Structures are given as C-alpha cells and as structure tokens.
Amino acid sequence: MVKPLLKIQRYFCRKPIRFFSLILLYLTAGSLVLLHSGFVGDSGPGPRGGRDTVVAAEVGSRTSSSNTRGLSIVSRVFKETRRSGRRYGPPWMKKSRQDGKETGARGEDYTNNWNRANTGRNAKDLDDGRAKYIGCYVDNTQKRALRGVSFFDYKKMTVFRCQDNCAERGYMYAGLEFGAECYCGHKIQAPNASESECNMECKGEKSNLCGGANRLSIYRLELSQESARRYGSAIFKGCFHRPDNVTLALPFSAVVQNMSVDKCVDMCTEREKSLAVLAGDRCYCGFPTPLFSLHELENEDMCLHACHGEEFESCGNDEYFVVYQTQVQDNRCMDRHFLPTRTKQLVALASFPGAGNTWARHLIELATGFYTGSYYFDGSLYNKGFKGERDHWRSGRTICIKTHESGRKEIESFDSSILMIRNPYKALMAEFNRKYGGHIGFASQAHWRGKEWPEFVKNYAPWWASHTLDWLNYGKNVHVVRFEDLKRDLFSKLKGMVQFLGLKVSEERLLCVEGQKDGNFKRSGLRKLEYDPYTSEMRASINELIRTVDTALKKRNMSGVLEEYIPR
C-alpha cells in the first residue's frame, strides 16, 4: 500500500506533470459546472430574439385548491392554444360581438366589463404608461379567458415580465394567474370575479398580486401604433380597397366553404405566399406589389362583414379586402452579396450609438441586395448575417460603412454620408441598454439606479450633439435621415436612401422590406423602466443640446429636429 502511494507522490512532484494535471482537473470541473447550468437553465427574461422563454415549473408547490389542474402544466409552456380556440379579427370587430348573439358555447367577449374594484386602486396601478389594470377575472382550464400564448415561471414571474412577453407578440391583453402563470389574448372571454379572489403574490415580485387559483389579474397593454396586431400565426395588416387588376395583383385565389381567417391563412401558407387576403367567401394569396402595395388603408368599418364560418371574424367583401401577413418569408429581398466591382467611393452610414444604425443597415441590405460594412468588427452582428462586418472598411466591397466616429480626420475619409439622427432621450437609453445588456438586451435595475447611468448621461449626451455637428461641418455630401421619419414612412425614406447610394430603386424589394423590417436586433415595444431616469438637471442640459443641433440643421437649409425631441 505504501509503495503505490510513494509512486503517486513522486509523480505529482514533477513540476510539468503536476502543472498539466492541475489544468486538466480545472477544465474538467469547469465542464461539469457548465453542463449543470445547461440542465438547470435560467428562467429570467433574457435577450429578445423572437424565441419563446423556457421556464421552470414547480408543480409540487401548488396548494390543494389547484390540484385539479394536474401535471399537464409542464407540457403547456409557451404553446399556442388549440386551433379550434384560435380567434382572429381586429379590435373593431367588437362592435358586432356585443349584439347578444354570442352564447356560452361559443364563449362570450367580456372585454369591456371593467371591474368595479378598480376604484380602490391608485393611479399608478391603473396606468403606469405600459398597461392599464382591467380587473380580476374567472379563468377555466377548459375555456381560457385569454386564448393566446401562455408561459409559466414558478420562480421569477413578475407583472411586467408577463406584460412584456404578451406585448412582444402583439397581444392586447396580459393576464397573470396563480402567482406564476401568464396568459395573452386579444379579447377577454370570461366574467369578472371579486377583486379579493386575485390574492396571490407574484413569485418574483412579492409587492404585486398575480391573480389567484383559477383567477386572472388582467391588464390592457398600451402598445405603440407600430406594434403588430397578431392573430395566431398571422399579422393583421388592415382593410384595403380591391386592386384594379386583382388577378394580376393576387395571382392565386379560391372559393372557400365556411370561410374563416384561419382557413385563408392556412391555404396561403401552404402555397408559400406572404399575404392572405379575404374577400367574402374568396381567399386570395400573393405578395405586396406596386399593384397592391398596402399603402392606402381604408376605414376598417368598410371590411366589417362577418365570415360565414366564424361569426367573430371579418372576411371583407368583393370591394374591400381584409389582409393578413402569413409566416411565409418573402424571399424577393433576401439575396445579398458584395459589390461586383470594388468602389473607390466610400459612403458612411454615420450615427450616434443607439440611433438605429444596425436597423438602418438591415434595411439597406434588403433594399439594395448588397452587404454593408463597418468601421469596427462585431462578431455578434457577423453571426447574424452582416457578412460585410469582417471586411476592412476600405475594401470597397460594401455599399456603405457603419461608423460612430466624429473626428474630423475620420469624417473626411468618406466621400459622402448618410447621417442618422434620433431623439437623444431615446438614443441614450438604447445605447445604455446595449452597453450593459447587449444588442437586444436591457441594462439591469442596478445599473439604472446606480452611478453608471448619471455618469453615462454626463459623458454621452454632449457627444450626441457634437457627433451631428461634426458631420455637418466636415462631412461631404451629407444626407440626413431622422430615425423617427424612417419608422413612420419607411417606403419613401428608404427609397431616398437607396437613390442617394446611386442605385436603381426596385419597388418590389422595398415592399418586401416593409414586410420584414424588424430584423434580428429589435427590442420589444414596452418601455423597460417603471420611472423616468432623467433628472431635471439632465433634461435642462439635453434640451440645450437639442436646440444647438436644431439651429445647425436649419442653417444648412435642412429640416430641424422633431418637436417630440423636446418633452413638453
């Protein structure tokens, strides 16, 4: 026994062998820790990239009042409801749902039944800028009050997390149940319950209530106008007048018995078309084209004609079409490559960080078919498809080059530039989130409330102004694009950018871009803070910088900043 021990001791006394043995043990321990974390997971919200959040279920912690739910909750994590429970139709269909025809078998719409208990809540509870509290509602495992997607987190559920996940998917309502369950939907199909029955604390936020046993605390989400209105797997685009040459504009069509939105969307999806268009009992499929661009919206009341197969939905008629966007990708603008011949004209895509540069690159690449380059290298952007990221910025193989530089020498290196400008209040917050949370993540509350935020504003706010002023002073042939204008009128503003780059405009490509404008780097629509991070001193300083930039733009006979930049 002694001899083997002595041999082992002598073995480890040799320095090189001892060193490599320790390295091997260290790597083995690290691998075990990593493997363990992969099984345990993190149920926090994490970055948003359109993927569903995976959550941990603590089924054993339920009380006896909920035992009837069984163990099926694990299989219901973030799933769509049964197809028979899908309900399509924009909010304006509520008018026809309140005529007394709905029965218990079809499910009533209780969307407008405001709970009297609201009077006992303070203003912050009722409207915090993100959502309005509607009240406590009955829920049923067989017939859900909210019939969209759902997810559960029995460790970290909060009111805001539920609201955010529902808003990200374009739903109008978010409901919390049993302290840990989140349900989304476009209408409430259940009666009110007593406010006292929504009495369970949120698992991740003890200061707030998250429903109760078979009881939902429901909020109406205050989504921005740009937010998509999603219905099942499709996105409602609006009501449009019949195109002049419908067979050319929408080449495929069929008469559908007992028409419903579901049937038309499924039919067009199977035929790999991005638009599902309902016209009474006829379903058209196609893509947006100059003949049917979806730019001239009609009053939605013109399409208020119930479907034969689903009275809660609208199917339009022969003159006014209801349009949905399917999940089929429009590939007309997806091909991208480097310039066929190297160019000596370097065009900058310049912006202050957080002003939408990455989004603008996405739009330009889809609209032109050419890769954009970068003054820097970001591996995460390269991995997401920005292949020009790895090229040297002077390679001449890309259509324009991203840069945040603002020095005279760097600016004069470019022959022309597209200058992106964004509201500094929004840009500063976006860059702070990127700095501490990644491209689509968010800075933590500790960062916002700590010393990092005041220090960040102090250093970055003056840079927002000096960046624009330097490009106006030293830039050659500057084309100014306001981020907010690009969001509001993407087609015409992007068309102007393509023309500035010296390329021929393809309207079909631009229409294709409109259908997939978000890209892979978009944060969800709801504001992530429950308070205003800007102090009065910060605002006074930033407002002065805004006025300076506004004056500089107008001196060059350009449009000044938008009025919304300065809060009233």
Side-chain angles (χ1 to χ4, degrees), residues 425 539 543 546-547 561-568:
Y425 289 103
R539 288 188 173 277
N543 288 347
I546 292 172
R547 283 187 279 270
V561 302
L562 297 171
E563 290 187 5
E564 65 192 61
Y565 284 18
I566 304 178
R568 297 295 185 265

Side-chain angles (χ1 to χ4, degrees), residues 32-47:
L32 288 172
V33 170
L34 191 62
L35 183 63
H36 173 73
S37 66
F39 280 110
V40 174
D42 179 9
S43 58

Side-chain angles (χ1 to χ4, degrees), residues 116-130:
R116 292 198 222 23
N118 284 346
T119 55
R121 290 176 169 259
N122 58 39
K124 182 178 183 300
D125 289 329
L126 281 170
D127 186 358
D128 62 0
R130 297 190 313 266

Side-chain angles (χ1 to χ4, degrees), residues 532-546:
D532 182 0
Y534 292 100
T535 64
S536 57
E537 292 79 9
M538 290 177 184
R539 288 188 173 277
S541 174
I542 293 172
N543 288 347
E544 186 59 37
L545 295 170
I546 292 172

